[in-house]
Amino acid sequence: MAITLTEKAAQQVERYLVRRGKGVGLRLGVRTTGCSGLAYKLEYVDDLAPEDSVFECHGVKVIVDPKSLAYIDGTELDFVRDGLNEGFRFNNPNVKDECGCGESFRI
């Protein structure tokens, strides 16, 4: 089981953590929503819960709750710039289908 970050994604997370002035890492999870059923959620973590799984990549910790891990195991998080747009991209090998707008997915 693993969650990984590309070097660009790790640099971006590190920048945000420094800007915030606190935090141990980035929480990656899923929530029920959208046309396909699941959507990713990202938030910065100040305290770890005992049940959290922690993965470290390029010096950045990625924290995942047990319920989300089944849906995102093997995911690589990248940070991309496309023209004026920039953001995180999820490369999840478990995805079977995505909605047309790209906001939600199905396993």
Side-chain angles (χ1 to χ4, degrees):
M1 295 183 142
I3 305 296
T4 58
L5 298 172
T6 64
E7 192 170 340
K8 285 182 182 180
Q11 290 169 350
Q12 191 67 19
V13 171
E14 186 64 35
R15 271 189 228 119
Y16 279 118
L17 288 171
V18 167
R19 193 177 302 156
R20 279 183 87 228
K22 62 180 180 175
V24 296
L26 179 73
R27 180 175 299 281
L28 174 58
V30 295
R31 59 187 167 89
T32 304
T33 189
C35 3
S36 292
L38 297 170
Y40 298 105
K41 63 180 181 178
L42 293 173
E43 57 191 16
Y44 293 97
V45 176
D46 295 326
D47 297 305
L48 297 173
E51 66 273 9
D52 286 335
S53 294
V54 180
F55 305 95
E56 190 163 338
C57 197
H58 301 289
V60 173
K61 288 184 173 88
V62 179
I63 297 97
V64 181
D65 66 271
K67 289 181 183 178
S68 296
L69 188 56
Y71 300 107
I72 59 176
D73 184 32
T75 296
E76 177 190 64
L77 185 61
D78 194 9
F79 188 80
V80 295
R81 288 193 171 106
D82 185 18
L84 297 175
N85 297 317
E86 63 181 20
F88 290 104
R89 178 177 296 157
F90 303 89
N91 299 312
N92 184 344
N94 305 303
V95 171
K96 301 296 182 217
D97 191 26
E98 293 179 317
C99 69
C101 65
E103 292 296 318
S104 63
F105 63 96
R106 185 174 53 86
I107 299 294

